[in-house]
Amino acid sequence: MPEEELVDIKFRLYDGSDIGPFRYSSTSTVDMLKQRIVSDWPKGKTIAPKAVNEVKLISSGKILENSKTVGQCKGPLGEVGGGVVVMHVVVQPSLAKTKTEKKIDDSPRKIVCQCSIL
């Protein structure tokens, strides 16, 4: 039976800060990674995921599917010095939230011309 490979992964957030690195088995799924991100999300960030389905993981320009394992994604994963894989995290709030509408300014605008004719 082949030995299970361990992979070090850190997650890069929208502001350039990182979560991790954490060591994962090559049989861990992308969904498991997302659960870890939601549970370990830093406090005080302006944008924070409330559920796993609001998180997208991107590696080498590809959005990773929840059902894929780390081992299946290993080929295109980019590594930095020390063998740590960096995945970018995108938070996409669910569409169920009510959208805030832009306030429409109905007041007439004053046109002021400051042209000088010489």
Side-chain angles (χ1 to χ4, degrees):
M1 188 185 263
E3 190 175 317
E4 190 173 281
E5 186 179 355
L6 296 176
V7 181
D8 289 325
I9 302 174
K10 72 177 171 179
F11 305 102
R12 178 84 23 101
L13 305 182
Y14 64 92
D15 62 356
S17 62
D18 293 330
I19 299 175
F22 301 111
R23 184 160 286 182
Y24 291 98
S25 160
S26 59
T27 59
S28 300
T29 63
V30 171
D31 188 60
M32 293 166 79
L33 304 181
K34 289 180 177 184
Q35 290 174 16
R36 178 73 181 257
I37 291 168
V38 171
S39 67
D40 287 3
W41 193 264
K43 305 293 183 226
K45 296 281 185 195
T46 55
I47 300 172
K50 293 179 178 36
V52 173
N53 63 347
E54 294 182 351
V55 175
K56 303 273 186 254
L57 282 180
I58 300 173
S59 182
S60 299
K62 298 186 190 255
I63 297 175
L64 305 179
E65 298 175 29
N66 288 348
S67 60
K68 297 278 187 185
T69 64
V70 171
Q72 290 172 318
C73 299
K74 182 99 171 86
L77 294 178
E79 293 186 11
V80 294
V84 177
V85 175
V86 178
M87 293 186 180
H88 293 267
V89 179
V90 176
V91 178
Q92 204 169 26
S94 50
L95 298 174
K97 291 182 179 179
T98 57
K99 294 182 180 179
T100 55
E101 295 181 18
K102 292 182 180 179
K103 185 178 177 183
I104 299 173
D105 187 12
D106 290 334
S107 61
R109 297 184 182 242
K110 297 179 183 176
I111 299 174
V112 179
C113 179
Q114 296 186 10
C115 299
S116 297
I117 299 175
L118 300 175

